[in-house]
Amino acid sequence: RWPSLLKYYSHTDGVSWLEEYKARHNAGLEAQRIVASFSKRFFSEHVPCDGFSDIETLGCPSHFFEDELMCILNMEGRKGLTWKYYAKKILYFLRQQNILKNLKEYLQRPTDRQSFLEGAVLIDQYCNPLSDICLKSVQAQVDDITDKVRKVLRTKNPRHPSLASKAGEVLVPEVELQRQVLDAMNCVLYEQLKYKGNELDYYNSLNSYIHQVLIRRTGIPISLSVLYLTIARQLGVKLEPVNFPSHFLLRWCQGKEGSTDIFDYTYIDAFGKGKQLTVKECEYLIGHHVTEEFYGVVTSKEVLQRMVGNLLNLGKRESTDQSYQLLRDSLDLYLAMYPDNVQHLMLQARLYFHLGIWPEKVLDILQHIQALDPSQHGAVGYLVQHTLEHIERRKEELGPEVKQRSDEKHKEVCFSIGLIMKHKRYGYNCVIYGWDPACMMGHEWIRNMNVHSLPHGPHQPFYNVLVEDGSCRYAAQENLEYNSEPREIPHPDIGRYFSEFTGIHYLANTELEIRYPEDLELTRATVQKIYSSGKE
């Protein structure tokens, strides 16, 4: 375990390794205790937000705590699924808190010390906290591209000032020399490395993450512009970001530096292979006239705002992710930059209310909105009332509903928890994590799903299933059959319900077993009967 922790030590430190070992050991025990408690406390909640307050007041070094969480996540085999599920949730939260702190520090710096690339990396890290993304690695990849540009430039002009070792520190003075740099960049990026705008899958969130842009060599206008601008500046060409509507651009000064005349600039479309545009051509690009203000330069904070705004819009579009993770992450980022934006605070409050998570946090947000804008009292009052009712209902909950197989009303239920099934009509593979003796959905859902067209309609057992595509569905008994070739179901919520995959079926974790106490034996008997006879 220690190699992963070496980065936290200096060779010159006088370290008591016995004390460090004790601290790591105790942090491991604390991490295991918290992870074990999450399943019991938060099984019924899709997002265990309340429990993170325990982690914010950790009595042990956070890097040791994180290291133990990584050890849990890296456990081999198909066991410990519930521990891995909650360890991942906790690690996600811990890393995001740290990244948010770094973002706030970044925003407090003078604008000339706010690198566009670093800002893009912080957004990327926050939305992908479990990925191994760091500024040093991203910068190294950009430096590699810059070196390739220098090689091309050297063949065109061996005495070009950008070839000096510290070229980025001194601006290339002449427009013609700058043009040579941009031509070499276009040659390397678009001809040699085949970077391009992702027109076929424009609304994929991966296009917004700078590390993915470098891996996949494709992106959207703003992410490609950040890459293009960074390389140009490292080679002594000062390009500036332009918050052009619908299509982010860069501008390159052809006249006096700092000119306010929009016609003194050439505009560069990094999405369109570095094409250089006039003011009129920019308008052709989006199909309508715009006022001069849209050709002005923007700050790094405004660039980040637009990047986060793109992710916010994608988060609103996502329908398969029941936890709305992208929308929650992008709202966090936006409010870190603009903490008093009433529109986004209200969206965050509504989202948490909709998901039924963190009601105390919802009340805090609503109180903040009321202080900022008293005219919102109608919407705030409605949400406050229903949030308080939610808190009271939670206090009155009697405990989990227990479903006994031996109960007479459950005699028609044929399948059990943990079985790998196949949908007869749609062909998807899934695992059962709950069942009802008859359809428990409302009339509108039953009508929309055309349940009455089934031979047994809604008057048959229905099953909650986790599907291999990451969705959760409610399937009629007559539409399901045993899967002749059972395999693991790659669903993000598997660990919430199951502790282990045996190779043929899933074992319910303690919390699910409490709710379906007689299912485990039936699942084992069913599996023995089906798959042993199949082998024979």
Side-chain angles (χ1 to χ4, degrees):
R1 294 178 179 184
W2 284 94
S4 64
L5 295 168
L6 281 175
K7 61 186 174 186
Y8 297 104
Y9 299 94
S10 165
H11 290 295
T12 58
D13 288 346
V15 178
S16 167
W17 291 108
L18 178 60
E19 292 307 312
E20 289 297 296
Y21 180 81
K22 285 179 182 176
R24 170 64 182 83
H25 178 72
N26 290 332
L29 294 177
E30 179 70 356
Q32 291 175 28
R33 181 190 68 77
I34 290 177
V35 170
S37 74
F38 263 52
S39 180
K40 186 177 178 64
R41 293 159 62 198
F42 304 112
F43 177 81
S44 58
E45 297 181 21
H46 198 80
V47 185
C49 295
D50 300 351
F52 294 135
S53 55
D54 301 358
I55 299 155
E56 289 178 307
T57 55
L58 277 177
C60 60
S62 61
H63 62 283
F64 283 162
F65 190 88
E66 270 200 35
D67 189 56
E68 182 62 31
L69 295 176
M70 286 303 300
C71 288
I72 292 170
L73 285 172
N74 293 330
M75 284 192 300
E76 290 184 16
R78 298 155 167 178
K79 297 184 179 181
L81 299 180
T82 299
W83 273 49
K84 289 177 182 177
Y85 175 79
Y86 287 106
K88 189 174 181 180
K89 294 270 185 195
I90 295 167
L91 189 61
Y92 201 99
F93 170 81
L94 272 176
R95 290 192 174 172
Q96 281 195 327
Q97 292 303 103
N98 195 41
I99 297 159
L100 216 51
K101 190 164 49 175
N102 294 340
L103 175 63
K104 288 174 182 176
E105 184 273 323
Y106 168 90
L107 293 168
Q108 286 169 357
R109 291 185 214 155
T111 51
D112 61 339
R113 289 185 52 231
Q114 292 178 344
S115 144
F116 293 101
L117 187 68
E118 183 180 355
V121 168
L122 285 165
I123 289 173
D124 192 347
Q125 288 174 326
Y126 193 81
C127 294
N128 303 284
L130 301 181
S131 299
D132 187 17
I133 305 161
C134 70
L135 178 60
K136 188 177 178 181
S137 168
V138 171
Q139 184 65 63
Q141 293 176 71
V142 174
D143 290 345
D144 185 53
I145 298 172
T146 306
D147 287 341
K148 286 181 169 64
V149 176
R150 283 199 181 98
K151 285 181 183 176
V152 171
L153 199 55
R154 189 173 284 112
T155 64
K156 306 288 184 186
N157 183 355
R159 301 177 66 183
H160 196 286
S162 292
L163 300 176
S165 57
K166 296 183 179 179
E169 295 176 11
V170 181
L171 291 177
V172 174
E174 298 173 26
V175 170
E176 184 51 42
L177 290 173
Q178 292 176 15
R179 188 183 306 281
Q180 290 174 10
V181 171
L182 299 181
D183 288 346
M185 281 176 55
N186 290 345
C187 173
V188 170
L189 281 171
Y190 304 112
E191 294 175 27
Q192 291 183 11
L193 299 179
K194 306 297 182 188
Y195 275 80
K196 63 179 187 297
N198 195 345
E199 295 177 352
L200 296 177
D201 194 14
Y202 190 89
Y203 295 103
N204 187 329
S205 60
L206 298 182
N207 294 325
S208 295
Y209 303 140
I210 196 69
H211 87 284
Q212 288 288 351
V213 171
L214 289 164
I215 290 169
R216 300 161 73 237
R217 301 186 181 184
T218 187
I220 51 176
I222 193 165
S223 56
L224 290 168
S225 291
V226 167
L227 176 61
Y228 197 99
L229 175 150
T230 303
I231 296 168
R233 289 194 172 190
Q234 288 185 186
L235 292 166
V237 179
K238 187 182 177 183
L239 300 183
E240 298 172 304
V242 177
N243 213 1
F244 203 66
S246 307
H247 197 106
F248 199 87
L249 296 171
L250 300 170
R251 73 178 193 181
W252 170 33
C253 187
Q254 307 284 288
K256 186 181 177 184
E257 187 178 347
S259 170
T260 56
D261 185 347
I262 63 171
F263 294 98
D264 279 346
Y265 293 87
T266 292
Y267 298 87
I268 295 174
D269 179 12
F271 185 81
K273 298 188 176 181
K275 187 177 180 182
Q276 295 171 10
L277 308 169
T278 63
V279 168
K280 205 68 185 167
E281 287 170 329
C282 290
E283 294 181 351
Y284 288 146
L285 191 65
I286 59 171
H288 60 85
H289 173 71
V290 295
T291 55
E292 286 195 9
E293 64 183 297
F294 290 105
Y295 291 92
V297 67
V298 288
T299 64
S300 51
K301 185 177 179 180
E302 289 169 315
V303 172
L304 296 197
Q305 178 189 352
R306 180 142 169 185
M307 293 184 91
V308 171
N310 288 338
L311 290 169
L312 258 171
N313 291 329
L314 292 178
K316 291 174 186 175
R317 291 164 64 106
E318 282 192 354
S319 56
T320 55
D321 181 9
Q322 293 185 321
S323 68
Y324 290 92
Q325 191 65 59
L326 180 58
L327 181 55
R328 284 164 44 213
D329 289 345
S330 46
L331 272 172
D332 288 345
L333 287 167
Y334 197 97
L335 291 169
M337 293 187 282
Y338 302 96
D340 295 336
N341 185 289
V342 171
Q343 179 188 351
H344 288 85
L345 283 167
M346 185 61 84
L347 177 57
Q348 188 176 56
R350 289 184 186 280
L351 177 62
Y352 285 171
F353 176 76
H354 167 74
L355 293 172
I357 62 174
W358 227 338
E360 293 78 12
K361 172 83 169 175
V362 173
L363 293 177
D364 288 344
I365 297 169
L366 293 171
Q367 188 177 8
H368 186 40
I369 293 170
Q370 187 65 38
L372 291 169
D373 184 2
S375 70
Q376 297 284 337
H377 65 88
V380 167
Y382 174 85
L383 285 172
V384 166
Q385 178 188 340
H386 285 80
T387 301
L388 290 171
E389 288 173 3
H390 171 68
I391 292 171
E392 286 305 310
R393 280 198 305 273
R394 201 168 61 170
K395 288 177 183 175
E396 295 167 4
E397 285 176 0
L398 300 173
E401 179 190 1
V402 177
K403 295 181 178 178
Q404 303 278 1
R405 306 288 306 202
S406 52
D407 193 319
E408 179 64 23
K409 64 182 179 183
H410 298 152
K411 65 179 183 179
E412 300 297 326
V413 180
C414 295
F415 308 132
S416 53
I417 302 296
L419 287 175
I420 311 290
M421 310 298 291
K422 195 176 190 73
H423 197 280
K424 293 178 182 176
R425 185 174 176 188
Y426 299 120
Y428 62 70
N429 298 309
C430 58
V431 57
I432 295 170
Y433 71 96
W435 49 257
D436 296 309
C439 183
M440 301 299 287
M441 300 300 269
H443 294 298
E444 188 177 349
W445 186 90
I446 289 172
R447 186 177 65 252
N448 289 341
M449 300 303 290
N450 205 20
V451 173
H452 286 292
S453 68
L454 295 171
H456 297 94
H459 309 295
Q460 61 176 310
F462 270 70
Y463 297 85
N464 302 101
V465 294
L466 300 177
V467 184
E468 58 192 344
D469 65 1
S471 63
C472 304
R473 303 193 191 182
Y474 196 48
Q477 180 163 281
E478 66 184 79
N479 279 337
L480 294 176
E481 62 184 357
Y482 297 120
N483 194 317
S484 59
E485 297 179 353
R487 56 177 181 267
E488 283 187 87
I489 303 296
H491 193 286
D493 282 346
I494 276 288
R496 184 179 173 191
Y497 304 101
F498 302 103
S499 61
E500 181 184 344
F501 180 62
T502 66
I504 297 177
H505 67 96
Y506 280 92
L507 294 179
N509 61 22
T510 305
E511 298 308 311
L512 190 61
E513 199 173 345
I514 287 170
R515 290 155 175 78
Y516 297 91
E518 296 172 354
D519 269 52
L520 180 58
E521 286 308 313
L522 182 61
T523 297
R524 283 175 172 155
T526 303
V527 164
Q528 183 70 19
K529 181 179 177 183
I530 297 169
Y531 299 111
S532 60
S533 62
K535 286 174 186 174
E536 288 169 14

